[in-house]
Amino acid sequence: RLAAQYGMDMLVRNHISARHRTGCLITPGRKMWGKITPDDLVYSSSNVTAGVIHDAVYSARPDIKALIRLHTPAATAISCLEEGFQPITQDDAYFYGKVATYDWGGLSDDASEGPLISAAVKAVEGCNTLLIHNHGFVCFGPSVRHAWVLAYYFEKCCEIQLRVMQSGGKLRRPKKAVMQKAAEGSYLPEFAPGVCEWEALCEEISFD
């Protein structure tokens, strides 16, 4: 419901999931996000693409407990650029050195693609985002709140990158040492994704 409220949804498509027992609970893929309730979550998705991508990320990273896959406009636009995501602002610090990439293979409806997706995630140690070229992105983390807030910020960061590119001005890149310091500070306990935002976000939704 938060994803719909913040314009991050695409009708019934895309998914959020969380580990549960030996599998994961996942959004159904057949209901508008703004109408989904806890009772609508399913143990396995009827959407084969969701199954392939989500299972592949969980398989690659046992520490991951939740993930969200989206096709939001700015991030999808960035996924179509040869240079991809470029960390150039303070808000990008969450993603500095933490974005893996994967070449979209079509519909992602073949289970044999799973190991390729897993390998892409493993290729960037400690990554929290998988940018799928010409497709969209996946954010993941130790909780739903962590993954959702990362996804929100990733879309915003991509919006800024596109605006900078559209300006036509000469790009001023922060020094690597500055970005590294900002990245380390972003994951201090009081600043980690969702720590400050989640309670306030949950106050904005109702299941009545």
Side-chain angles (χ1 to χ4, degrees), residues 73-103:
T76 302
I78 292 296
S79 80
C80 298
L81 297 176
E82 187 67 32
E83 65 179 359
F85 176 72
Q86 299 294 308
I88 54 177
T89 72
Q90 177 178 325
D91 291 333
D92 293 335
Y94 276 139
F95 308 101
Y96 184 69
K98 294 183 177 293
V99 178
T101 59
Y102 176 72
D103 287 334

Side-chain angles (χ1 to χ4, degrees), residues 63-188:
D63 59 310
I64 296 303
K65 305 301 182 185
L67 64 90
I68 176 170
R69 180 175 64 89
L70 299 173
H71 296 169
T72 48
T76 302
I78 292 296
S79 80
C80 298
L81 297 176
E82 187 67 32
E83 65 179 359
F85 176 72
Q86 299 294 308
I88 54 177
T89 72
Q90 177 178 325
D91 291 333
D92 293 335
Y94 276 139
F95 308 101
Y96 184 69
K98 294 183 177 293
V99 178
T101 59
Y102 176 72
D103 287 334
W104 176 51
L107 190 58
S108 297
D109 60 348
D110 188 341
S112 65
E113 193 176 357
L116 299 177
I117 297 172
S118 293
V121 172
K122 291 178 180 179
V124 179
E125 185 178 358
C127 67
N128 58 28
T129 302
L130 178 66
L131 186 65
I132 306 176
H133 294 144
N134 307 98
H135 179 90
F137 73 103
V138 185
C139 280
F140 36 87
S143 65
V144 171
R145 73 178 187 180
H146 188 112
W148 192 96
V149 170
L150 276 179
Y152 173 85
Y153 285 131
F154 190 71
E155 172 66 6
K156 292 298 183 182
C157 290
C158 289
E159 287 180 11
I160 295 298
Q161 182 179 336
L162 290 174
R163 290 193 182 194
V164 170
M165 294 171 66
Q166 291 166 355
S167 75
K170 184 177 180 180
L171 176 61
R172 180 185 178 89
R173 294 182 181 274
K175 295 179 180 179
K176 290 183 178 180
V178 172
M179 286 303 301
Q180 183 62 45
K181 182 178 180 180
E184 293 170 357
S186 295
Y187 284 89
L188 291 173

